[in-house]
Amino acid sequence: MSNDKWNEDDMEKRLRHMPVVEDRRSKEEILQRLKNDARLTELEEPKNIPSKSKWPSIIAAVAAVLLLTILIPTFLQQNNEVSMDKATTSESASTIEMENSEEMQSEDSSDTSVYTKQIAAPLTNAAYPDDLIDHTAFRIGLATDQATIVPVTFLIPNERLPEGLGSSPDAVALYNEYANTIDEVSLGFTEYHPYMATISSVGKQVQMKFSADHSYDRSSATLEMLNLSVQDTFYVFDEIRFLQEDASPVTFDGVGKVEEPLIITGNNSRQAYYRFEKSDGEVLLSTNFGKVYATVEEALNAMKETPNDIYSSVVPDEVNFTVTDEKNKVRVKFNEMLDLDNLPYEEAMQLIEGILLTAASFDKQVEFDQIKQDQWGRFDFTQAIEKPIGANPKFLINE
């Protein structure tokens, strides 16, 4: 620190002894000297750089505003359309479905064959004589994916019947005309018709001449399905004769030569009807693999129980009835007053029509007792109900 202090004192002393510098020139001389200094006069004056025009910036700002004005409403509209898509999808689908249903039922349909379920009409599992006003019934046994046969009654508008069929075509004529037009798969059945045979009739006998490559005798089950199907299809005839193409008796594997005709039970099939649900969820009424009962009382009482895992009872657990056979009709009396409106409509209809179809297979009408409603749907319970003429009606419109 002593050295630093010395240096500071020494420097201070030296600065004090420096000579004083004075400029004795006048102001005028200094100004003149500055004017005459070439270094100052050679300096270039600053260039006048033109300022950039403000118009491009203004135009760009205006363009940006216009662009936002266009894009924002468009974006909002698209966003609104996207948000509305889900809300309108089901409505559009329903509209399309309704339009398709109307087209299917329209007489102006250009399809080769159109089949519709009863959409506008109440759900029903049986066809009645009143349904034959301006319609012809075409009954047929259709196959399901559970190796069962279900009876179906197609109602054909009389005005659509080909002239060659006449006014009252029989079951064979109807089958030969329409069997190959039925789209069984779209109806929820398996492809089975037309039969691999030439079909004709002689009097009250049906003759089926099987093609050499038929497969109906692959097993006892396929033969049983054939028997059940022809029973439902040619119900108005008395018998069916199974033949080869040369008209000789056919030979089935496991059975041998079939020389005796198959008796058709028709309106005396003596069977009980049950609830059957197809794989597509549609519920139909059908017999239990064609099981036959000795009496109508036995058949109606059998309906109260579920026979297997394919068919189920149409009689609710809380409902019971007694059966009395009275010549041409059967009296069904419920143990307690039955209010049909307390049951789901489909279940109530299946109960009533299951009983009617079962009694009809014994060629009998039904008179009900202990039903709260005197009138319900198409039924008048103050009197015997007319016999149904077929099960599971569907409308058939064929161009």
Side-chain angles (χ1 to χ4, degrees):
M1 292 196 54
S2 59
N3 292 335
D4 292 339
K5 180 67 174 174
W6 182 87
N7 289 337
E8 292 176 1
D9 294 342
D10 184 66
M11 289 177 66
E12 185 177 353
K13 290 179 180 181
R14 290 178 182 276
L15 288 173
R16 287 176 180 176
H17 290 87
M18 287 183 67
V20 177
V21 179
E22 295 181 0
D23 189 353
R24 299 180 180 274
R25 293 175 298 177
S26 64
K27 296 179 179 178
E28 290 76 9
E29 289 177 347
I30 294 174
L31 177 61
Q32 187 62 41
R33 179 64 182 271
L34 292 174
K35 289 181 178 181
N36 295 334
D37 193 334
R39 293 174 299 177
L40 297 176
T41 59
E42 290 179 358
L43 289 175
E44 294 183 3
E45 294 194 6
K47 296 180 180 180
N48 293 327
I49 301 175
S51 61
K52 293 182 179 180
S53 175
K54 295 182 180 180
W55 283 108
S57 299
I58 297 174
I59 293 174
V62 172
V65 173
L66 291 175
L67 184 61
L68 290 175
T69 304
I70 296 172
L71 291 180
I72 289 176
T74 303
F75 172 78
L76 292 176
Q77 180 179 1
Q78 291 177 346
N79 186 55
N80 183 57
E81 291 175 352
V82 171
S83 65
M84 289 294 291
D85 280 346
K86 292 184 179 179
T88 58
T89 298
S90 59
E91 180 180 355
S92 299
S94 299
T95 302
I96 293 172
E97 183 177 354
M98 291 177 63
E99 291 174 353
N100 289 341
S101 298
E102 293 173 358
E103 291 174 0
M104 291 177 72
Q105 296 183 29
S106 171
E107 294 183 357
D108 296 329
S109 174
S110 60
D111 294 339
T112 301
S113 56
V114 181
Y115 303 91
T116 64
K117 298 176 183 178
Q118 294 189 359
I119 298 174
L123 178 66
T124 180
N125 295 103
Y128 301 88
D130 288 348
D131 295 319
L132 297 185
I133 299 175
D134 298 328
H135 286 80
T136 294
F138 167 39
R139 285 174 46 171
I140 187 172
L142 299 181
T144 74
D145 56 4
Q146 299 183 57
T148 61
I149 297 295
V150 173
V152 173
T153 305
F154 287 109
L155 299 175
I156 308 170
N158 290 338
E159 61 185 17
R160 300 298 185 105
L161 293 174
E163 293 183 2
L165 286 181
S167 58
S168 300
D170 61 24
V172 169
L174 289 170
Y175 184 87
N176 287 331
E177 179 68 28
Y178 293 106
N180 64 341
T181 68
I182 299 175
D183 188 351
E184 296 159 273
V185 175
S186 69
L187 291 173
F189 296 92
T190 59
E191 190 172 348
Y192 191 79
H193 293 279
Y195 296 117
M196 301 176 69
T198 301
I199 302 171
S200 60
S201 63
V202 178
K204 298 296 289 183
Q205 182 187 83
V206 177
Q207 294 184 350
M208 296 183 67
K209 296 179 180 179
F210 292 94
S211 60
D213 60 346
H214 78 82
S215 57
Y216 296 111
D217 57 352
R218 287 182 302 174
S219 66
S220 59
T222 56
L223 278 176
E224 183 62 19
M225 288 181 66
L226 173 65
N227 290 337
L228 293 174
S229 179
V230 297
Q231 289 282 355
D232 287 332
T233 304
F234 305 115
Y235 66 101
V236 295
F237 287 84
D238 293 338
E239 61 183 25
I240 301 177
R241 187 171 291 278
F242 294 152
L243 305 170
Q244 298 184 110
E245 291 176 308
D246 62 0
S248 62
V250 71
T251 299
F252 287 143
D253 289 346
V255 176
K257 185 177 292 187
V258 183
E259 296 183 330
E260 296 296 324
L262 175 68
I263 303 301
I264 299 177
T265 57
N267 291 331
N268 287 287
S269 59
R270 309 172 79 84
Q271 298 170 331
Y273 278 77
Y274 298 89
R275 183 180 185 272
F276 174 77
E277 183 172 351
K278 305 205 325 293
S279 57
D280 63 0
E282 182 183 12
V283 174
L284 303 173
L285 295 184
S286 182
T287 64
N288 177 23
F289 295 103
K291 183 176 179 179
V292 175
Y293 295 88
T295 65
V296 66
E297 296 97 332
E298 183 182 353
L300 288 170
N301 285 317
M303 288 178 55
K304 302 174 185 178
E305 304 295 332
T306 294
N308 47 53
D309 57 355
I310 295 179
Y311 302 100
S312 60
S313 175
V314 298
V315 183
D317 292 337
E318 67 275 13
V319 175
N320 198 2
F321 55 78
T322 58
V323 180
T324 306
D325 187 1
E326 300 178 354
K327 198 175 180 180
N328 294 326
K329 68 179 180 181
V330 59
R331 183 178 299 277
V332 174
K333 182 178 181 179
F334 293 97
N335 293 0
E336 297 180 4
M337 183 65 69
L338 176 63
D339 187 349
L340 293 174
D341 291 336
N342 285 340
L343 296 174
Y345 181 84
E346 294 82 0
E347 291 184 14
M349 185 64 77
Q350 290 163 13
L351 169 63
I352 298 300
E353 294 190 316
I355 293 174
L356 292 174
L357 286 167
T358 298
S361 73
F362 289 83
D363 199 22
K364 293 181 180 293
Q365 291 182 292
V366 177
E367 186 171 322
F368 290 95
D369 281 343
Q370 288 279 82
I371 293 182
K372 181 178 180 180
Q373 291 80 9
D374 288 338
Q375 307 287 332
W376 188 79
R378 69 186 301 164
F379 303 119
D380 180 0
F381 293 121
T382 63
Q383 59 186 355
I385 307 298
E386 61 183 351
K387 291 181 295 185
I389 52 95
N392 308 308
K394 296 179 183 292
F395 290 106
L396 184 153
I397 301 176
N398 187 291
E399 288 288 348

